[in-house]
Amino acid sequence: MKKLQSKKEMKALFFLCFFAYMITYLGRLNYSASLAEMVLQGVVNKEQAGFIGTMFFAAYGSGQLISGFLGDRLSAKQMIFTGLFCSALANFMMCFLHDSLHMAVVWGINGFVQSLIWSPIVHIISQYFPDDMQKDAGVKINYCVPVGTFLAYLFTACVISAAHWRMVFLSAGAALLVMSGIWLAGMTRIEQIAADRSKVQKREEGSNKQADSSKQTISMRSLIWQSGILFFCGALCVQGVLKDGVTTWIPTYINEQFHIGSVGSIIGTTVIPVFNFFGVFLAGAVNRRWFRNEIKTAAAFFAAALAALTALRIFSSVHFMLSLCFFGIATTAMMSVNTMLVSVLPMYFGKYQRASTMSGVLNSGAYLGGTISAYGIGALSYHLGWDKTIEIWIVCAALGGILCIGGNPVWKQFLSGKKRKEKITKERKTIYEL
């Protein structure tokens, strides 16, 4: 395993990954940010718009399983480049389409190629960062999500106010294209640095072999059952409903409830990622200070979302800024859940060479929820109204907390078994050294 040692090198790699994933949000949330304007202009109706969003989430979620599996086996650099480059092409195509069916197909392709990016990033962190820095990097990389979300909504509002919604896709495609070139050049340089360092360390090959022999091998099926991952996939499915699905429809909700216009709705929605930015910090801080258990931390944030959504239901008609605050709290809590379960949890599987695979499995759960809600929220709000839709969100938040609490004993047992094995291995090494 080629670990970086210089802080300068690790920072360079971290920010390369950070900006690569951040830019993807310009090429995915530009659709949901433009949604109110597209519906207003009659390009699509709400159900058609929901179907297009569903195609993205379905392709992204299913692609996560493939990406996770391949990320531990193929070149992460090439996978991420392919995702960025092809996403740029998909955005260029969206600029010229008029039919909702063709939009759904192209946006589904965009979802699949973007799914090639996250799990390989997790693999790169587990491969190049020292073991004691991986979890910290896994938490901090999540800051790219609220930053990317904020930029996507602000960028979309500016473009629509100055030009046309189609220019949103053209501009996002250009940004993705530039980033794909930066990624390829930057990652090639990082690989060269790591390879040179590996040559210098050849003389320590004997000790490296001894370290490699301690790596544990276990089947994927056994890892899934022993760790309780299925509980957390279910919780992340709920999180996907309450984060990605809800975020998709916030501008439409604000516009329909308070009639402030599509551009005003989009600009108002930019407060959401500002809230979400603190979700990453809160996740790490709460976990370190109180729970020291990623699953308990996730359950606590589901409870926070439950409280915020209940308040939203009670005070939904008071003022649009109050509604945005409640949305901000709920989606921030979901950002914290995502940080714990999607970014940190897979790092525990790095020693089994399964970090990318587990990241893909967990992320697919989150985007299954996004898939259901992208269409489901539009259909529910159309047929039942927003009040009933919010009540369903409240039930979802409660279910997510229950799944985390239910899976925590299994996870704790998995970790305690892992620690026992590490202790035995360490004792054996000590005996051999004596």
Side-chain angles (χ1 to χ4, degrees):
M1 196 68 72
K2 299 172 286 187
K3 302 289 185 182
L4 297 176
Q5 294 180 350
S6 164
K7 288 186 178 180
K8 183 178 178 180
E9 294 166 0
M10 286 185 277
K11 282 183 179 179
L13 177 58
F14 175 84
F15 282 112
L16 187 63
C17 293
F18 183 97
F19 286 112
Y21 197 67
M22 184 194 76
I23 289 295
T24 65
Y25 276 76
L26 292 183
R28 75 166 77 168
L29 289 184
N30 53 349
Y31 170 73
S32 60
S34 303
L35 202 55
E37 181 70 11
M38 293 169 71
V39 172
L40 188 65
Q41 291 190 14
V43 179
V44 291
N45 60 38
K46 285 174 67 176
E47 291 200 61
Q48 289 172 334
F51 178 68
I52 295 169
T54 294
M55 287 296 290
F56 177 92
F57 286 120
Y60 191 96
S62 58
Q64 281 294 327
L65 291 173
I66 299 171
S67 172
F69 178 82
L70 295 178
D72 286 323
R73 293 160 178 83
L74 301 181
S75 167
K77 178 183 75 173
Q78 294 298 335
M79 286 181 65
I80 294 170
F81 169 76
T82 301
L84 291 168
F85 183 80
C86 292
S87 181
L89 298 182
N91 272 269
F92 287 144
M93 291 180 68
M94 282 290 285
C95 180
F96 301 101
L97 296 176
H98 295 82
D99 179 73
S100 63
L101 181 59
H102 292 154
M103 287 182 175
V105 172
V106 170
W107 211 236
I109 293 171
N110 187 43
F112 181 80
V113 297
Q114 284 214 359
S115 73
L116 301 176
I117 297 171
W118 174 254
S119 294
I121 284 178
V122 173
H123 174 80
I124 285 171
I125 291 173
S126 69
Q127 180 183 19
Y128 287 100
F129 279 73
D131 294 346
D132 59 343
M133 297 182 68
Q134 289 177 12
K135 290 180 189 177
D136 186 51
V139 169
K140 289 179 179 178
I141 195 71
N142 265 267
Y143 281 113
C144 69
V145 176
V147 172
T149 303
F150 175 82
L151 290 176
Y153 278 98
L154 184 61
F155 171 78
T156 300
C158 292
V159 173
I160 288 177
S161 64
H164 193 274
W165 65 263
R166 293 186 183 278
M167 290 300 297
V168 173
F169 294 96
L170 187 65
S171 303
L176 283 160
L177 191 62
V178 171
M179 189 66 230
S180 68
I182 294 172
W183 168 263
L184 197 60
M187 195 60 207
T188 300
R189 176 59 181 157
I190 292 291
E191 286 181 338
Q192 184 61 52
I193 290 171
D196 291 343
R197 195 174 302 283
S198 181
K199 290 177 183 178
V200 172
Q201 294 174 346
K202 283 277 187 170
R203 55 180 173 271
E204 300 175 7
E205 188 175 351
S207 61
N208 286 337
K209 285 181 179 179
Q210 185 180 15
D212 290 341
S213 66
S214 68
K215 289 179 182 177
Q216 300 174 31
T217 57
I218 185 171
S219 70
M220 189 65 189
R221 181 183 297 180
S222 296
L223 273 181
I224 288 173
W225 286 111
Q226 290 178 23
S227 61
I229 284 294
L230 294 180
F231 282 97
F232 313 135
C233 283
L236 281 166
C237 183
V238 173
Q239 182 264 348
V241 172
L242 298 179
K243 178 178 172 286
D244 295 302
V246 170
T247 301
T248 298
W249 287 99
I250 288 175
T252 306
Y253 171 87
I254 295 298
N255 189 35
E256 291 185 357
Q257 292 291 94
F258 301 100
H259 309 290
I260 63 173
S262 57
V263 173
S265 300
I266 298 170
I267 293 174
T269 307
T270 58
V271 305
I272 301 299
V274 174
F275 274 87
N276 293 173
F277 184 85
F278 295 100
V280 180
F281 169 77
L282 286 172
V286 169
N287 190 48
R288 283 193 307 270
R289 180 165 295 186
W290 286 303
F291 296 108
R292 296 184 181 180
N293 178 309
E294 290 79 12
I295 311 305
K296 287 183 179 179
T297 302
F301 281 108
F302 271 117
L306 175 63
L309 291 169
T310 302
L312 175 67
R313 174 64 182 86
I314 296 170
F315 303 106
S316 60
S317 61
V318 175
H319 194 275
F320 83 94
M321 285 305 297
L322 186 61
S323 294
L324 283 172
C325 285
F326 291 135
F327 273 125
I329 294 169
T331 56
T332 294
M334 292 303 96
M335 184 73 246
S336 298
V337 171
N338 185 274
T339 300
M340 290 292 98
L341 300 187
V342 174
S343 299
V344 178
L345 233 60
M347 299 301 172
Y348 286 96
F349 300 93
K351 69 177 299 177
Y352 303 106
Q353 302 300 298
R354 302 285 189 180
S356 176
T357 304
M358 281 302 184
S359 175
V361 170
L362 290 165
N363 222 2
S364 66
Y367 279 91
L368 174 61
T371 301
I372 296 168
S373 62
Y375 176 78
I377 290 174
L380 285 171
S381 65
Y382 180 77
H383 294 290
L384 301 178
W386 284 110
D387 286 346
K388 292 293 183 184
T389 302
I390 294 171
E391 290 170 6
I392 292 172
W393 294 344
I394 292 170
V395 173
C396 287
L399 178 60
I402 291 169
L403 286 168
C404 285
I405 293 169
N408 187 52
V410 183
W411 178 250
K412 286 176 68 177
Q413 186 176 2
F414 171 72
L415 288 185
S416 63
K418 177 182 168 184
K419 288 176 182 177
R420 283 197 300 271
K421 288 177 182 177
E422 288 175 347
K423 184 178 179 182
I424 291 170
T425 302
K426 186 176 181 180
E427 289 174 350
R428 285 176 178 170
K429 283 184 180 179
T430 303
I431 290 170
Y432 293 147
E433 287 171 0
L434 291 172

